[in-house]
Amino acid sequence: MEAHPLRFFRNLSRSREIFTVLLNHGFGDLLERLKLRRYVQWGRRVILRKRQPELPEHYTTAQRLRMTLEDLGPTFIKFGQVLSTRPDIVPADVIAELEHLQEGVPPFPSDQAVHRLEVEFQKPLSELFAEFEREPLAAGSLGQVHRARHHDGTLLAVKIRRPNVIRDVERDLALMLDLAILMERHIPESDVFDPVGLVNHFTRTIRREMNFCREARTLQEFAKLFRDDATLTVPFVYDELTCESVLTMQFVGGCRADDDAGIARLGVAPSQLASNGARIFMKMAFELGIFHGDPHPGNLRIQADGSIGLIDYGMVGYLDRAKRDQLVDLFVAIVHQNVDDAVRIVEEMGNPSRPIDDLLLHADVQDFVETYYGVELARLNVGNMLSDFVSILSQHGLRCPADLMLLIRAIVTLEGVGRRIDPQFNLAGELAPYVERLVKRRYDPKRMAARAMADFRELLSAVHDLPIHLGNTLEKLSQDELKVQLEHRSLDRLITEFDRSSNRITVGLVTSSLIVAFALIIRSGSSASTWITVPVFALSGMLGIWLIYGILRSGRL
């Protein structure tokens, strides 16, 4: 994958802003290593027209990173929030700092919101809603929410996408991808963080969030899955008032999950409330395989009847059966103190970014298992256990699937919310029945027979295709058409260095030849050619000085 330098020039204003912010927060060394110094120096002289401000020494790298993302705007703030869900590749101090990211985006004018509604649905506002509050309830980086009333009297929440947000986000995504490619090319140690993979994952995430039709379908899927569960309230979506840039749904009132006084006024038992929330989430993740990715207190609204209203379905995770089985196997391996199985599961769940030290991994997993062995599942601190598990992945360069990391982060968040509501709450007590049920279901004779039959059919298919593939290979071999593809790694960097060295040798030889030749001509005393030879001699000398300066500046004499 190659970076596109022209994108930096095509989006010169935004590129300049990004470089300036990086400089202002002390990341000039990063730009130096990305080979962007020549543009930075030009920008510092011509654009900034002032000295780079001095940063207080007490700011850590993590704090400077957070401030950088906040200054770069909504797209980069969203990127930081996604990074905070990846403790397997991002250091713990950076994760803690990124969790304090604040969007701080002012609402856009209500006239633009009304105009968007009327353009999308080709009707005046009075025909769309009986009432529409022009003052937004909340504003975010991608859109803002207005309260309205349906003609049948139902209170509505209308989410409207920001004008030009797609253009701005796509521009930033392109620049972020180019920066990530440059990082992988020029900063080898960044491979541990997988910059390009992170940007690609973020691109998929934010594009899903910007498509409100997708969020509407997610809402409808959750409503269908929980239609018989009275403890969860999912907003009803009005399809006729929903499109890609507008989402109209039932307004969910109630108090926030961290509003202790509000919960007390409702008369809901805190223990029951925390238990219901945990049970709902466990059902999402371990039974249905789809879960809300951000269950923080602001997205949980407690209703008068004690049910929980869940809002903001922009961040949703999916967990297939194989990943759920792996998590169950990990719990079982810990309970039975089976270190070998636990090591195997860790290696299966993680994608190594560097060679693994098997002995050290085995020792760390053994220590992990012994820490939690003997603890009753109902008394297990799930948050601490998952945090320790992620630490093992991080220490050994094992990258976990993004959705699995999102689940782990959501579980840790949920456990914190539950303990805030009820200090005696223990998530493991709610998790235990689901793990036991999944274990029984996994080893159910009917399911095992079905899996054996599926494996047998796959084996038969492979045996059936083997003679065909073997015949094709022998035929290509006999006709000298068999090709072997070799993949080289980091060879392009070596080729670049060879090109650079050969260019310097060539320039040096040409320069020295010119200097010697014109020095001899000048010494010959031919006055007719002096007006040509002297300037060319001087130019050759300047070229030689420029070559020496370039070599010294690169630090590779």
Side-chain angles (χ1 to χ4, degrees):
M1 187 178 293
E2 295 292 331
H4 299 276
L6 286 178
R7 270 206 287 254
F8 288 118
F9 294 98
R10 194 177 303 132
N11 300 296
L12 183 59
S13 177
R14 182 58 172 164
S15 300
R16 181 178 62 194
E17 183 182 354
I18 292 172
F19 294 161
T20 302
V21 171
L22 287 171
L23 279 171
N24 288 344
H25 290 290
F27 289 106
D29 57 334
L30 174 63
L31 295 172
E32 170 81 21
R33 297 191 66 183
L34 294 180
K35 310 297 182 185
L36 295 171
R37 185 178 65 173
R38 66 190 70 176
Y39 310 111
V40 172
Q41 288 178 334
W42 173 79
R44 186 181 296 174
R45 291 195 304 267
V46 179
I47 300 165
L48 292 179
R49 297 180 183 174
K50 62 181 180 180
R51 294 181 61 188
Q52 182 177 348
E54 295 290 334
L55 287 172
E57 294 183 358
H58 62 269
Y59 282 147
T60 64
T61 301
Q63 288 173 325
R64 289 189 289 115
L65 176 60
R66 174 184 58 79
M67 292 186 292
T68 299
L69 295 175
E70 288 177 341
D71 286 352
L72 287 176
T75 307
F76 286 83
I77 291 174
K78 283 285 184 183
F79 180 62
Q81 291 170 343
V82 171
L83 277 182
S84 69
T85 67
R86 299 303 307 271
D88 55 324
I89 56 179
V90 179
D93 61 326
V94 177
I95 292 285
E97 195 63 36
L98 292 180
E99 289 176 348
H100 296 106
L101 275 171
Q102 300 294 327
E103 292 185 355
V105 180
F108 59 88
S110 58
D111 290 342
Q112 294 182 18
V114 172
H115 177 71
R116 170 59 54 191
L117 290 169
E118 294 180 340
V119 167
E120 290 290 353
F121 301 113
Q122 296 295 305
K123 290 180 181 180
L125 186 66
S126 58
E127 291 186 22
L128 296 173
F129 306 102
E131 298 175 9
F132 183 84
E133 294 183 7
R134 291 180 174 266
E135 187 69 24
L137 285 174
S141 55
L142 302 182
Q144 63 190 33
V145 179
H146 292 259
R147 187 158 53 184
R149 188 176 296 276
H150 197 273
H151 287 290
D152 65 5
T154 304
L155 274 178
L156 305 175
V158 184
K159 187 176 180 180
I160 305 169
R161 194 168 63 197
R162 282 185 174 274
N164 303 321
V165 70
I166 291 183
R167 180 199 65 192
D168 295 342
V169 167
E170 291 296 340
R171 174 202 61 197
D172 284 349
L173 290 175
L175 293 175
M176 288 169 68
L177 180 60
D178 285 339
L179 288 172
I181 294 171
L182 289 174
M183 285 185 70
E184 290 194 347
R185 180 185 303 166
H186 298 295
I187 308 177
E189 59 267 28
S190 70
D191 288 347
V192 133
F193 305 107
D194 188 19
V196 172
L198 280 174
V199 172
N200 287 335
H201 167 61
F202 172 64
T203 298
R204 292 190 297 270
T205 300
I206 198 168
R207 282 176 179 165
R208 285 200 300 258
E209 286 194 50
M210 289 192 297
N211 187 346
F212 291 171
C213 285
R214 188 183 183 99
E215 184 174 349
R217 289 194 297 270
T218 302
L219 277 162
Q220 291 168 336
E221 185 175 0
F222 272 94
K224 181 180 178 181
L225 293 172
F226 285 89
R227 61 179 176 271
D228 297 326
D229 193 334
T231 60
L232 178 65
T233 299
V234 180
F236 177 79
V237 175
Y238 290 79
D239 287 325
E240 69 278 7
L241 294 172
T242 296
C243 63
E244 191 173 318
S245 61
V246 179
L247 171 60
T248 304
M249 54 191 161
Q250 171 193 359
F251 178 79
V252 177
C255 62
R256 289 168 52 107
D258 56 359
D259 183 0
D260 299 332
I263 294 175
R265 285 195 300 271
L266 292 176
V268 182
S271 58
Q272 187 61 45
L273 189 60
S275 177
N276 286 345
R279 181 187 54 78
I280 289 169
F281 192 86
M282 294 303 110
K283 181 178 179 180
M284 288 181 187
F286 293 101
E287 282 191 15
L288 306 176
I290 177 174
F291 59 92
H292 193 289
D294 195 16
H296 67 77
N299 286 336
L300 301 172
R301 301 302 170 94
I302 313 304
Q303 307 300 297
D305 60 358
S307 64
I308 299 173
L310 198 54
I311 62 176
D312 192 0
Y313 290 76
M315 187 178 290
V316 174
Y318 298 88
L319 210 62
D320 59 29
R321 188 179 296 277
K323 292 293 182 293
R324 282 178 272 167
D325 287 345
Q326 285 177 338
L327 282 175
V328 171
D329 287 345
L330 180 63
F331 285 121
V332 172
I334 293 172
V335 169
H336 292 95
Q337 204 177 9
N338 193 328
V339 177
D340 291 334
D341 276 359
V343 171
R344 175 184 56 79
I345 294 164
V346 168
E347 291 180 333
E348 287 177 356
M349 295 176 77
N351 179 29
S353 61
R354 62 175 185 264
I356 297 176
D357 186 332
D358 292 328
L359 291 177
L360 184 59
L361 176 62
H362 192 280
D364 286 345
V365 172
Q366 182 171 0
D367 182 62
F368 170 72
V369 170
E370 289 176 354
T371 299
Y372 296 99
Y373 173 69
V375 180
E376 294 180 17
L377 190 57
R379 302 171 64 88
L380 190 68
N381 189 315
V382 179
N384 287 347
M385 187 193 74
L386 292 177
S387 297
D388 290 345
F389 171 69
V390 170
S391 295
I392 292 176
L393 295 178
S394 177
Q395 290 169 9
H396 294 275
L398 291 166
R399 299 171 185 157
C400 211
D403 281 336
L404 189 56
M405 292 310 306
L406 184 63
L407 172 66
I408 291 174
R409 178 177 180 267
I411 288 177
V412 173
T413 301
L414 188 72
E415 186 172 40
V417 173
R419 286 185 174 170
R420 178 182 175 83
I421 295 173
D422 176 21
Q424 304 303 318
F425 171 74
N426 186 8
L427 182 62
E430 304 298 329
L431 178 62
Y434 285 92
V435 173
E436 293 171 2
R437 198 178 310 157
L438 286 172
V439 170
K440 290 178 181 178
R441 187 183 303 171
R442 184 172 185 186
Y443 295 103
D444 179 72
K446 291 183 179 179
R447 185 180 174 189
M448 293 181 68
R451 286 180 60 185
M453 187 59 67
D455 292 341
F456 182 68
R457 282 196 298 266
E458 190 173 344
L459 179 62
L460 281 180
S461 177
V463 171
H464 176 269
D465 293 341
L466 182 61
I468 300 174
H469 294 315
L470 184 60
N472 291 337
T473 302
L474 293 175
E475 183 179 356
K476 288 183 179 180
L477 185 62
S478 64
Q479 297 177 359
D480 293 332
E481 294 180 354
L482 188 65
K483 298 180 180 178
V484 177
Q485 293 184 347
L486 297 176
E487 179 185 357
H488 63 79
R489 296 184 179 180
S490 302
L491 190 59
D492 52 345
R493 191 175 303 163
L494 180 62
I495 294 172
T496 301
E497 291 300 324
F498 274 130
D499 286 342
R500 184 178 298 159
S501 300
S502 60
N503 289 339
R504 286 176 176 174
I505 292 172
T506 303
V507 172
L509 288 174
V510 171
T511 301
S512 59
S513 300
L514 287 173
I515 291 173
V516 172
F518 284 104
L520 292 174
I521 293 174
I522 292 172
R523 187 173 180 181
S524 68
S526 175
S527 58
S529 59
T530 301
W531 66 278
I532 296 177
T533 55
V534 171
V536 174
F537 179 78
L539 183 62
S540 301
M542 292 174 62
L543 185 61
I545 294 172
W546 171 80
L547 178 61
I548 294 171
Y549 170 72
I551 295 173
L552 291 173
R553 189 179 66 171
S554 69
R556 298 177 182 177
L557 188 59

